[in-house]
Structure formats: C-alpha cells, structure tokens
Amino acid sequence: ADAYLYRFQLPSGCRLGLTVGQHIVARGIVSDLEVQRAYTPVSPVDAEGYFEVLIKIYEDGLMSRFVKTWKEGNTVCWRGPFGNCPYKPNQVSYTTWKLVRNKSNVYRD
C-alpha cells in the first residue's frame, strides 16, 4: 500500500474542530528545502484528543521523503486551519473567479 493513516495526539479533551471544506498544512525540511502540503483530516469532527490524516506516499515526492522519516513519538509542525468555504447543509453558495489563462487541448484522444 502507498497510503498510510497517521494519528496525531492533541491535548486531552481537545478537538481539532475542522469542518468539511477546511484543511491543515504540514511543514518540514527536506534537503535544506522547506516543504508544505495541505491535508484534510479524516478523523471524525468530534474526535477528542487526536486527529488523523491519510497520506499518499510518492516515490519521488519531497513531502513523501519527509513523511517517511516520521516515527511514533515525533512532533510534526502543523498550521491552520485553512479553507473559507465551510459546508452548510441544505445551502448552496457560489464564488466566481476570473479565468486568466485557458489551457486548451490539455486532454487529447
């Protein structure tokens, strides 16, 4: 398998409290380069004392190289939450963005 579930400890009784549409960012150093990747926790929103992320490992990925160094008991730097489009049941809202570059013919037969 090339995807792994990682569980991180929070202070006792604390919840991460992210909602659908939000994410956190892991930071690390690989070969003197700072790497960052956004992850959406897969643990229940009401989980107390921990959160879990599912991370796919890529053979040549910089962040994957960092993740492969993690051992039980290590501390990992996380920041966030990010994501300003929280899910609201039975409500629809749209945001428009101006297209500034068209990549035509990206998919070819």
Side-chain angles (χ1 to χ4, degrees):
D2 59 356
Y4 300 89
L5 185 66
Y6 293 90
R7 178 177 282 203
F8 290 88
Q9 182 178 358
L10 295 172
S12 181
C14 287
R15 295 181 181 152
L16 196 56
L18 271 63
T19 60
V20 174
Q22 292 188 303
H23 60 277
I24 53 178
V25 174
R27 301 172 72 172
I29 303 292
V30 175
S31 301
D32 295 326
L33 297 172
E34 181 177 306
V35 292
Q36 300 184 65
R37 291 292 178 272
Y39 297 100
T40 300
V42 296
S43 47
V45 70
D46 60 350
E48 286 190 17
Y50 74 95
F51 70 92
E52 295 173 322
V53 290
L54 185 65
I55 299 178
K56 182 173 175 67
I57 301 297
Y58 294 93
E59 188 174 321
D60 297 323
L62 278 178
M63 189 58 153
S64 294
R65 284 176 46 196
F66 175 60
V67 171
K68 286 189 233 181
T69 69
W70 294 355
K71 303 282 185 258
E72 203 168 305
N74 286 159
T75 300
V76 176
C77 179
W78 292 92
R79 60 189 184 94
F82 299 97
N84 60 355
C85 298
Y87 173 73
K88 295 177 184 170
N90 302 316
Q91 293 184 3
V92 177
S93 63
Y94 297 94
T95 302
T96 59
W97 297 91
K98 181 179 178 182
L99 177 64
V100 294
R101 184 174 178 202
N102 183 9
K103 288 197 162 229
S104 59
N105 297 324
V106 172
Y107 301 103
R108 298 179 186 194
D109 293 332

